[in-house]
Amino acid sequence: MSRTVAETRASAANPSVIARLLRRPLALAGLIVICVTVLAAVFAPWLVPFDPYEQFFEGLTIEGAPLPPNAQFWFGTDLVGRDLFSRLVYGARTSLVIGVVANGIAVIIGSLIGITAGYFRGWTDTVLMRFTDLMMAFPALLLAIVLAAIFTPSLWIVAMVIAMVNWVQIARVVYTEARSLSERDFVMAERAMGAGAGRILFRHILPHLLSTIIVWATLGIATTVLLEATLSFLGIGVQPPTPSWGNIIFENQTYFTSAPWLVFIPGAAILALALAFNLVGDALRDILDPTQQGRH
């Protein structure tokens, strides 16, 4: 018989899974980076030495150029004399909020569409998956740019735009697995006993898909963080003065040659966080997916 949702959730979070995750050096390194970033974002008001919006006259040279990293401004200052370290820490809040919210919405939409199309088949399958294929035909970045240009950019609008272009991948993956599961004997037996579609979907098919959804949700955060940074860098994401790792690079790109730390430091933060989520997601896939076990 199929496991219940509670049983599957418990198995996904049991100590053996966590212990196996912690035994992987790359996954452990990714977890450390994620935890440090989350803690820095949560406790930003108590960690940063300055207000991220405050402009300092002493934060610029006599010629008006940004200051390099020093004892007062640990990561230097930006082109208007604001402390880069403070803006970077507050920017982590923006990236994480958008990453979690946008990816969460995308996972919910993609999972519902994939499960529904995979189970009901017929015209439902045709309509939903052809719409998914249509969305996949558009380059995600180009579609996000168009949507961001239509709506007034803000934190939540950017999150919604990213969610609207990122659900298609998980929908396709969930659809394939749901379609396979719907033909399994235990599902056929439930149908024969008169079980309704809701019971079969949520008590028998969804529990088998939780590991896949968890893995894709983790990997999707990395994609979302990178997409948010790209939109902000292009000037159609989170708008200044709200700090975002992408718009920090966008604002300071003109000083790339004379003040490279203004681009390299936030760029390194984006790279580190995206890589961390990818490492954890890959490890979870190997641990939770039975077909991957024994290959590493």
Side-chain angles (χ1 to χ4, degrees), residues 218-240:
T218 306
L219 293 171
I221 294 178
T223 304
T224 304
V225 168
L226 290 171
L227 187 53
E228 180 277 324
T230 302
L231 292 176
S232 295
F233 173 74
L234 294 174
I236 53 176
V238 178
Q239 296 299 294

Side-chain angles (χ1 to χ4, degrees), residues 33 36-38 40-41 84-96 225-226 228-230 232-233 238 242-252 262-263 265-274 277:
V33 172
V36 169
T37 305
V38 171
L84 182 61
F85 174 76
S86 300
R87 290 187 63 77
L88 199 70
V89 173
Y90 271 85
R93 283 185 162 188
T94 303
S95 295
L96 288 173
V225 168
L226 290 171
E228 180 277 324
T230 302
S232 295
F233 173 74
V238 178
T242 302
S244 153
W245 290 347
N247 69 27
I248 289 174
I249 298 176
F250 171 71
E251 288 179 324
N252 299 290
L262 296 176
V263 174
I265 293 177
I270 295 170
L271 175 63
L273 187 61
F277 276 111

Side-chain angles (χ1 to χ4, degrees), residues 125-280:
D125 179 356
T126 302
V127 171
L128 290 178
M129 296 319 295
R130 294 300 75 76
F131 176 67
T132 302
D133 292 339
L134 178 64
M135 292 293 292
M136 292 184 72
F138 288 95
L141 179 58
L142 180 60
L143 183 58
I145 290 173
V146 172
L147 293 173
I150 293 173
F151 301 102
T152 303
S154 67
L155 180 67
W156 302 112
I157 291 296
V158 171
M160 291 302 297
V161 166
I162 294 175
M164 290 170 65
V165 301
N166 268 6
W167 62 267
V168 291
Q169 290 82 8
I170 190 170
R172 175 58 69 180
V173 172
V174 170
Y175 164 75
T176 301
E177 294 200 17
R179 182 165 181 162
S180 175
L181 287 168
S182 66
E183 298 174 349
R184 299 277 292 274
D185 291 341
F186 65 85
V187 174
M188 298 293 188
E190 285 290 324
R191 286 200 190 112
M193 290 188 294
R199 176 184 173 85
I200 294 175
L201 284 173
F202 291 101
R203 290 190 56 115
H204 300 286
I205 293 182
L206 181 60
H208 286 81
L209 295 173
L210 279 180
S211 61
T212 298
I213 293 173
I214 290 171
V215 170
W216 275 87
T218 306
L219 293 171
I221 294 178
T223 304
T224 304
V225 168
L226 290 171
L227 187 53
E228 180 277 324
T230 302
L231 292 176
S232 295
F233 173 74
L234 294 174
I236 53 176
V238 178
Q239 296 299 294
T242 302
S244 153
W245 290 347
N247 69 27
I248 289 174
I249 298 176
F250 171 71
E251 288 179 324
N252 299 290
Q253 60 181 319
T254 54
Y255 282 85
F256 175 71
T257 55
S258 59
W261 63 88
L262 296 176
V263 174
F264 286 147
I265 293 177
I270 295 170
L271 175 63
L273 187 61
L275 180 60
F277 276 111
N278 277 327
L279 291 174
V280 174

